[in-house]
Amino acid sequence: MAQWFASGLVVDLIILAMVLEAGLLGLWHRRTGRGIAFARLWSFLLAGVTLMLALRAALTGAEWYWISFWLLTGFVAHAADLWQRMR
Protein backbone atom coordinates (compact mmCIF):
# COMPACT_ATOMS: atom_id res chain seq x y z
CA MET A 1 0.00 0.00 0.00
CA ALA A 2 2.85 2.38 0.79
CA GLN A 3 4.17 1.87 -2.73
CA TRP A 4 0.80 2.88 -4.21
CA PHE A 5 1.15 6.24 -2.47
CA ALA A 6 4.85 6.68 -3.22
CA SER A 7 4.34 5.96 -6.92
CA GLY A 8 1.20 8.10 -7.20
CA LEU A 9 -0.86 5.11 -8.36
CA VAL A 10 -3.51 5.78 -5.74
CA VAL A 11 -4.06 9.24 -7.21
CA ASP A 12 -4.24 7.80 -10.73
CA LEU A 13 -7.00 5.45 -9.55
CA ILE A 14 -8.90 8.32 -7.93
CA ILE A 15 -8.67 10.37 -11.15
CA LEU A 16 -9.89 7.37 -13.13
CA ALA A 17 -12.86 7.05 -10.77
CA MET A 18 -13.61 10.77 -11.20
CA VAL A 19 -13.53 10.48 -15.00
CA LEU A 20 -15.83 7.44 -14.88
CA GLU A 21 -18.17 9.28 -12.54
CA ALA A 22 -18.30 12.28 -14.88
CA GLY A 23 -19.07 10.00 -17.82
CA LEU A 24 -21.83 8.22 -15.94
CA LEU A 25 -23.34 11.49 -14.74
CA GLY A 26 -23.25 12.88 -18.26
CA LEU A 27 -24.83 9.74 -19.68
CA TRP A 28 -27.51 9.72 -16.99
CA HIS A 29 -28.33 13.38 -17.67
CA ARG A 30 -28.50 12.75 -21.40
CA ARG A 31 -30.83 9.77 -21.02
CA THR A 32 -33.13 11.08 -18.29
CA GLY A 33 -32.77 14.85 -18.39
CA ARG A 34 -32.20 14.78 -14.63
CA GLY A 35 -29.07 15.57 -12.71
CA ILE A 36 -26.34 18.02 -13.59
CA ALA A 37 -25.52 18.80 -17.21
CA PHE A 38 -21.88 18.28 -18.15
CA ALA A 39 -21.61 21.94 -19.16
CA ARG A 40 -22.18 22.83 -15.51
CA LEU A 41 -20.05 20.00 -14.14
CA TRP A 42 -16.76 20.33 -16.03
CA SER A 43 -15.22 23.17 -13.99
CA PHE A 44 -16.06 21.44 -10.71
CA LEU A 45 -14.47 18.19 -11.89
CA LEU A 46 -11.46 19.98 -13.37
CA ALA A 47 -10.79 21.65 -10.02
CA GLY A 48 -10.82 18.26 -8.31
CA VAL A 49 -8.60 16.60 -10.91
CA THR A 50 -6.02 19.37 -10.74
CA LEU A 51 -5.88 19.09 -6.95
CA MET A 52 -5.35 15.36 -7.35
CA LEU A 53 -2.52 16.08 -9.81
CA ALA A 54 -0.94 18.45 -7.27
CA LEU A 55 -1.15 15.69 -4.68
CA ARG A 56 0.39 13.22 -7.12
CA ALA A 57 3.23 15.62 -7.85
CA ALA A 58 3.89 16.05 -4.13
CA LEU A 59 3.77 12.32 -3.42
CA THR A 60 6.18 11.49 -6.23
CA GLY A 61 8.71 14.16 -5.30
CA ALA A 62 8.13 16.51 -8.21
CA GLU A 63 9.69 19.95 -8.25
CA TRP A 64 7.86 22.69 -6.37
CA TYR A 65 6.88 24.52 -9.55
CA TRP A 66 4.86 21.52 -10.78
CA ILE A 67 2.97 21.36 -7.50
CA SER A 68 2.29 25.09 -7.61
CA PHE A 69 1.28 24.86 -11.29
CA TRP A 70 -1.38 22.27 -10.50
CA LEU A 71 -2.57 24.24 -7.47
CA LEU A 72 -2.86 27.41 -9.55
CA THR A 73 -4.72 25.52 -12.27
CA GLY A 74 -7.07 24.17 -9.62
CA PHE A 75 -7.68 27.68 -8.34
CA VAL A 76 -8.56 28.90 -11.84
CA ALA A 77 -10.96 25.98 -12.33
CA HIS A 78 -12.49 26.63 -8.91
CA ALA A 79 -12.93 30.33 -9.74
CA ALA A 80 -14.59 29.35 -13.04
CA ASP A 81 -16.93 27.04 -11.15
CA LEU A 82 -17.87 29.77 -8.68
CA TRP A 83 -18.39 32.29 -11.49
CA GLN A 84 -20.62 29.81 -13.31
CA ARG A 85 -22.69 29.18 -10.18
CA MET A 86 -23.06 32.88 -9.35
CA ARG A 87 -24.55 33.74 -12.76
Side-chain angles (χ1 to χ4, degrees), residues 1-15 52-53 55-61:
M1 191 62 131
Q3 188 149 1
W4 282 31
F5 280 88
S7 69
L9 181 61
V10 69
V11 176
D12 294 340
L13 294 173
I14 292 169
I15 291 173
M52 288 292 105
L53 290 171
L55 174 61
R56 187 183 196 289
L59 287 174
T60 59

Side-chain angles (χ1 to χ4, degrees), residues 5-87:
F5 280 88
S7 69
L9 181 61
V10 69
V11 176
D12 294 340
L13 294 173
I14 292 169
I15 291 173
L16 177 63
M18 292 174 73
V19 169
L20 290 173
E21 177 185 20
L24 289 173
L25 286 172
L27 183 63
W28 185 52
H29 178 71
R30 182 177 292 200
R31 288 184 183 254
T32 66
R34 297 185 331 194
I36 303 170
F38 187 75
R40 300 202 52 141
L41 192 63
W42 73 268
S43 57
F44 176 75
L45 289 170
L46 184 62
V49 167
T50 55
L51 288 178
M52 288 292 105
L53 290 171
L55 174 61
R56 187 183 196 289
L59 287 174
T60 59
E63 297 289 335
W64 67 269
Y65 49 83
W66 285 113
I67 299 168
S68 60
F69 169 77
W70 289 119
L71 289 173
L72 179 62
T73 306
F75 171 73
V76 171
H78 178 63
D81 179 51
L82 287 177
W83 181 76
Q84 191 177 40
R85 290 173 189 259
M86 297 295 243
R87 293 186 332 155

